[in-house]
Amino acid sequence: MLFTSYGFLGFIAIVFVLYYLIPRKCQWGLLLAASYLFYFFAGPEYLPYILVTTVTVYIAALRIGKNEEAQAVYLKAHKADLSREEKKAYKETQKKIRRRWILAAILLNMGILAVVKYTNFAIANVNSLLGALGREGRLSFLDLALPLGISFYTFQAVGYLIDVYRGTVQVERNLFRFALFVSFFPQLVQGPISRFGDLSETLYKEHPFEGRTVSYGLQRMLFGYFKKMVIADRILVGVNAIIGDTGQYAGAYVLVGMLFYALELYADFTGGIDITIGIAETLGIRLTENFERPYSSRSLKEFWRRWHITMGTWFRDYIFYPLSVSRPMQKFTRFSRSHLGETVGKRLPVYLASFTVWFATGIWHGASWNFVVWGLGNWLVLMVSESLEPVYERFHRRFGAGGKCYHLFEVVRTFLLVACLRLFDCYRSVPVTFQMFGSLLSARNWNILWDGSLLALGLSALDYGILALGAVALVSVSLLGRRGSVRDRIARKPYPVRFVVWYGLFLVVLLMGAYGIGYDASQFIYNQF
C-alpha cells in the first residue's frame, strides 16, 4: 500500500477517526490491529516473518528479564551465606544463561534477514566463482520474496533485546504491546528505527484529541507529500533517463545525474519520514527525527551524523561500540601497540571496527557489490580524513581558513563527495560506475548544460521550473529551521497568512504533483532496503 495512494489515505482517515472515537484505553489496540491489517495488505505471506521476530524476541527478552529478577532475589536471600567468590561465580553462571538467550534470538532473526535478503546474492557470487574456475554446474536461484520493512523491524526488535540485556530498558511483558512496537505501521516502510525507551513513552499512552497536535501532524504530512510528489517523483524521470542509457548519457550527463539523484533521494527519503512522523503526530505519538539538515554538513563525518540518524546510531551503539570494547579487539589493540607502535596500534583497531560497521551498512542497503563498495568508499574517506586531521589543523592555523566563504566551500565539497559516492547507488554496477565517473572526468560535452539537451530527458521547461522552485523551498525551510521550528513560526502568524501558506501548499501538491502520462507514483526508495 503506497503512502501516496488513495487507498492509504483512506486507510489513514479511517484509523484516525476511530482512534479518537473509541475509548482511549483501546487506542493502542486499534493501532496494533491497523498495523497488522496494513501488513496484510502488503502481502499475507509476509505475516509469518514479522510474527516470528515478534514472538522470539519477546520470549528471549522475557527470559532475560526473569533471570535477572531471580538472580536479584537469590542474592538478596543468600546475602549472608555466600562468599564474594561464590556470588561472582553465581552471577557469571546466570550471565551465561542470559547470553545464550540473546545470542539465540539474534542469530535466528538476523539469520532470517540474511536468508531472505542475501541468499541469491551469495548464489550469484558462487556461480561467478564456478564460472571463473571453468566449472559447468550452476546453482539455481531461490524464489524468495523480501518482506516489507524486514530490515527496519528486525533492527528495531534486536535493538530492544540488546537494551533489555544491558538493563537500559524494562522488559515489556505484554506480548501485544510489544507486537505494536515492532509493527507500528507508519514506520514499517522506511523507519525511523525507534528505540523502545523512546517510542514506548507515547505509543501506549491515552491520547485525547488536541487540535494543535493534529494540525501540526497534518502539516508535516503535507510537506512530506510536497517533497515526494512534486519534487522526487518528478525528477525521477530525468534520473531514470540518464542511468538507463549509459552509452548516450555519459560525460557531463553524469554530473547532472548526480545532482538530480541527490535532490531525488533527499526529497524522497525525508518526504517519507515527514509523512511517517506526521501520521504518528496526528495520533499523539512521537517518533525520533531522522534528519538534521544533512546537506549543510561541512564534512562527511558530520553528514553521517545528520543523515538517517537512527540507522547511524543503531550501527554505532550495537556494532561499533561492542566490537571496540570486546575482548578480541582489546587483545588486538595490545598486539598492535606492541608490534606496530603507539600511533598505528591505537588507530588500527578503530579502523577495523569502522570497517566492519561500514561493510554492514553497505550490505544492509542492498544485496549487491555496488552497495558494499559504496559503504567501504565512505569508510575509506572517513578514515583518511580522521588520519589527516592534524594536517588540517596546521593548515587552518597557518592560512587562517575560516569565515563564511570557507564554510560554504566545505558544504559544497561535502555535498559533491556524497553525490560522487552515490553513483554506486545510481548505476548499481561497480564497473559501470567507475566507467561513468571516468567519463565525467574526461567530459567534453558540457554544452548540454545550456543548449537544451536536458529537455530530452523527459522533463519539460515547466518541470525544471517547478523543480527549481521546489529546491529553493527546501533550502529556505532548512535555513529557517536553524532558528527554530518553522511550523511554530507560521503558527504565530495571522490566520490569513497561515491559510495562504498551508492551503497554497496543498494546491501545489494537488496541481503540481507528478501525475499522468510519463509519471508513476513510485514506492519510496528506502522501501527496498
Side-chain angles (χ1 to χ4, degrees):
M1 191 188 299
L2 291 172
F3 273 20
T4 53
S5 68
Y6 293 122
F8 180 77
L9 293 177
F11 175 77
I12 288 295
I14 293 171
V15 170
F16 177 82
V17 172
L18 292 177
Y19 186 78
Y20 287 110
L21 286 180
I22 63 175
R24 293 175 192 169
K25 64 181 180 180
C26 301
Q27 287 177 328
W28 72 266
L30 172 66
L31 292 181
L32 176 61
S35 296
Y36 272 86
L37 185 60
F38 175 84
Y39 212 74
F40 176 83
F41 286 144
E45 68 276 14
Y46 301 152
L47 283 173
Y49 292 96
I50 196 170
L51 284 171
V52 167
T53 295
T54 301
V55 173
T56 56
V57 171
Y58 169 79
I59 293 174
L62 197 62
R63 296 307 304 171
I64 291 171
K66 288 184 176 181
N67 178 274
E68 290 178 338
E69 291 175 357
Q71 173 181 303
V73 171
Y74 179 84
L75 291 175
K76 184 177 181 180
H78 297 81
K79 184 177 181 181
D81 304 336
L82 299 175
S83 65
R84 185 175 181 181
E85 290 73 18
E86 288 173 330
K87 289 180 181 178
K88 184 177 180 181
Y90 175 77
K91 288 180 180 180
E92 187 62 31
T93 300
Q94 299 308 307
K95 187 175 182 180
K96 288 180 180 179
I97 295 174
R98 295 194 295 272
R99 189 182 296 126
R100 284 197 288 268
W101 276 106
I102 190 174
L103 287 176
I106 290 177
L107 289 175
L108 173 63
N109 287 283
M110 288 299 188
I112 293 173
L113 175 62
V115 168
V116 299
K117 194 168 183 179
Y118 306 111
T119 296
N120 286 334
F121 175 59
I123 291 174
N125 283 281
V126 170
N127 287 340
S128 297
L129 180 60
L130 292 175
L133 296 175
R135 302 290 182 87
E136 295 183 359
R138 292 292 186 274
L139 300 178
S140 300
F141 290 102
L142 302 181
D143 186 18
L144 296 174
L146 187 64
L148 174 70
I150 186 171
S151 295
F152 292 102
Y153 73 69
T154 300
F155 274 35
Q156 186 158 302
V158 168
Y160 158 79
L161 183 60
I162 296 174
D163 287 342
V164 169
Y165 178 79
R166 292 174 175 174
T168 57
V169 300
Q170 294 295 318
V171 177
E172 176 53 65
R173 299 184 180 278
N174 187 315
L175 173 60
F176 298 102
R177 284 160 63 98
F178 178 67
L180 175 58
F181 167 73
V182 176
S183 65
F184 185 45
F185 72 91
Q187 62 180 25
L188 268 178
V189 174
Q190 56 185 348
I193 304 172
S194 298
R195 304 291 179 91
F196 186 80
D198 297 329
L199 183 55
S200 61
E201 291 182 358
T202 56
L203 184 61
Y204 308 123
K205 286 187 176 180
E206 299 176 9
H207 298 285
F209 181 90
E210 295 180 356
R212 180 183 177 88
T213 300
V214 172
S215 175
Y216 269 35
L218 293 174
Q219 292 166 11
R220 186 76 180 260
M221 290 175 61
L222 182 59
F223 192 50
Y225 280 112
F226 166 76
K227 291 178 178 178
K228 170 64 175 171
M229 302 184 70
V230 177
I231 299 176
D233 283 355
R234 171 170 273 101
I235 203 169
L236 174 63
V237 175
V239 172
N240 286 340
I242 291 174
I243 67 177
D245 189 348
T246 56
Q248 179 178 354
Y249 297 118
Y253 281 107
V254 178
L255 175 63
V256 175
M258 284 168 46
L259 300 178
F260 279 11
Y261 187 67
L263 178 58
E264 182 209 348
L265 183 60
Y266 176 81
D268 186 281
F269 196 8
T270 64
I273 293 296
D274 285 339
I275 295 171
T276 295
I277 294 178
I279 292 171
E281 194 170 3
T282 62
L283 303 173
I285 297 167
R286 185 175 62 253
L287 294 179
T288 306
E289 292 291 343
N290 217 21
F291 294 91
E292 187 185 350
R293 300 181 298 278
Y295 285 159
S296 299
S297 304
R298 300 166 63 180
S299 67
L300 189 61
K301 183 178 181 180
E302 182 184 353
F303 174 84
W304 282 111
R305 288 199 303 264
R306 294 166 170 253
W307 178 277
H308 206 345
I309 298 170
T310 57
M311 183 201 70
T313 55
W314 196 98
F315 279 106
R316 181 196 67 196
D317 294 345
Y318 301 126
I319 295 182
F320 180 80
Y321 286 156
L323 182 61
S324 298
V325 300
S326 64
R327 289 182 180 179
M329 188 62 76
Q330 290 176 354
K331 291 181 179 179
F332 180 66
T333 301
R334 290 193 293 269
F335 175 85
S336 301
R337 287 183 171 181
S338 62
H339 290 78
L340 302 175
E342 185 67 21
T343 302
V344 176
K346 183 173 61 176
R347 291 183 177 275
L348 199 57
V350 176
Y351 293 167
L352 180 59
S354 297
F355 178 90
T356 304
V357 167
W358 278 105
F359 179 86
T361 303
I363 202 71
W364 179 87
H365 277 81
S368 58
W369 283 110
N370 63 295
F371 285 115
V372 173
V373 175
W374 167 83
L376 297 183
N378 278 276
W379 168 80
L380 180 62
V381 174
L382 288 168
M383 293 305 98
V384 170
S385 298
E386 184 174 323
S387 300
L388 293 178
E389 278 185 0
V391 178
Y392 297 152
E393 292 176 0
R394 288 197 296 270
F395 173 82
H396 291 161
R397 286 196 302 268
R398 180 172 182 179
F399 296 99
K404 293 183 179 180
C405 290
Y406 189 75
H407 185 164
L408 179 61
F409 162 75
E410 290 179 308
V411 170
V412 173
R413 176 197 62 191
T414 302
F415 173 82
L416 291 176
L417 177 60
V418 170
C420 285
L421 289 169
R422 282 182 179 153
L423 285 176
F424 291 103
D425 188 5
C426 289
Y427 290 104
R428 302 297 174 93
S429 167
V430 176
V432 171
T433 301
F434 281 114
Q435 177 186 347
M436 300 312 294
F437 185 71
S439 74
L440 171 61
L441 297 179
S442 59
R444 297 181 179 179
N445 57 340
W446 295 105
N447 57 295
I448 61 104
L449 299 177
W450 57 79
D451 67 1
S453 299
L454 299 183
L455 294 174
L457 297 176
L459 298 171
S460 65
L462 177 61
D463 289 323
Y464 282 109
I466 294 173
L467 289 172
L469 292 176
V472 170
L474 294 184
V475 172
S476 300
V477 170
S478 178
L479 293 175
L480 290 172
R482 294 162 57 183
R483 303 176 183 176
S485 170
V486 176
R487 288 179 297 177
D488 284 345
R489 298 177 68 178
I490 296 175
R492 290 193 291 267
K493 300 295 182 182
Y495 175 77
V497 176
R498 301 199 306 270
F499 178 82
V500 168
V501 170
W502 296 118
Y503 187 66
L505 185 60
F506 172 76
L507 289 179
V508 168
V509 175
L510 187 65
L511 300 177
M512 298 183 182
Y515 313 103
I517 298 174
Y519 297 103
D520 179 31
S522 64
Q523 185 57 276
F524 288 89
I525 293 174
Y526 264 68
N527 181 51
Q528 66 186 302
F529 304 143

